[in-house]
Amino acid sequence: MTTRDAVFPAGRNELFIQHSYSAAIRSGDFLFVSGHVGSHSDGSPEPDFEAQVRLAFANLQGTLKAGGCTLDDIVDVTTFHTNPEKQFDTVLAVKNEVFSAAPYPTWTALGVNWLAGFDFEIKVIARIGAA
């Protein structure tokens, strides 16, 4: 049986330890990244929605870096939205800044009714060293 190679971003372990999960798991050439939210270092949510989305991407980048990846290595994105109809334009604008050139990763967006006090979450799969 293979052991899990857990990856954690610098200075952001409290949220993961509190809820008993890994920020990411390295497996072969891939990094499977758990959902990231717009939380501050103490785990509290950023109240402004656009700032929360931007912080979620920033937190994601910290985990990608810890796993030897960048945003350019992402092959698959899944986002979760508590109010997609009202939030989608903001999310799309930030996403288009982050992924500004083709080829774009695949993307699945899901509407959900609960994200533990957050309004946006992003999880990805990245190919290690692909860029």
Side-chain angles (χ1 to χ4, degrees):
M1 180 174 155
T2 348
T3 58
R4 295 183 197 124
D5 183 11
V7 173
F8 294 95
R12 302 240 352 124
N13 294 354
E14 294 304 316
L15 190 61
F16 304 109
I17 292 168
Q18 179 183 359
H19 297 287
S20 304
Y21 68 101
S22 297
I25 295 288
R26 189 181 297 117
S27 181
D29 292 339
F30 289 94
L31 186 67
F32 297 86
V33 183
S34 292
H36 279 55
V37 293
S39 63
H40 297 286
S41 59
D42 66 358
S44 66
E46 165 56 47
D48 176 77
F49 181 70
E50 182 176 344
Q52 188 181 123
V53 173
R54 291 183 183 283
L55 186 54
F57 274 99
N59 291 340
L60 171 66
Q61 284 181 283
T63 297
L64 289 169
K65 181 178 178 182
C69 295
T70 70
L71 292 168
D72 292 332
D73 297 315
I74 294 174
V75 294
D76 184 64
V77 175
T78 304
T79 55
F80 304 88
H81 314 260
T82 57
N83 191 342
E85 190 172 6
K86 289 185 179 179
Q87 299 166 340
F88 200 74
D89 288 342
T90 301
V91 171
L92 191 58
V94 174
K95 179 187 147 304
N96 288 342
E97 288 175 21
V98 173
F99 303 113
S100 59
Y104 305 106
T106 62
W107 179 33
T108 303
L110 302 168
V112 298
N113 59 16
W114 185 77
L115 288 173
F118 296 89
D119 293 306
F120 175 81
E121 184 173 329
I122 181 169
K123 72 181 299 299
V124 304
I125 299 170
R127 177 108 189 247
I128 299 170

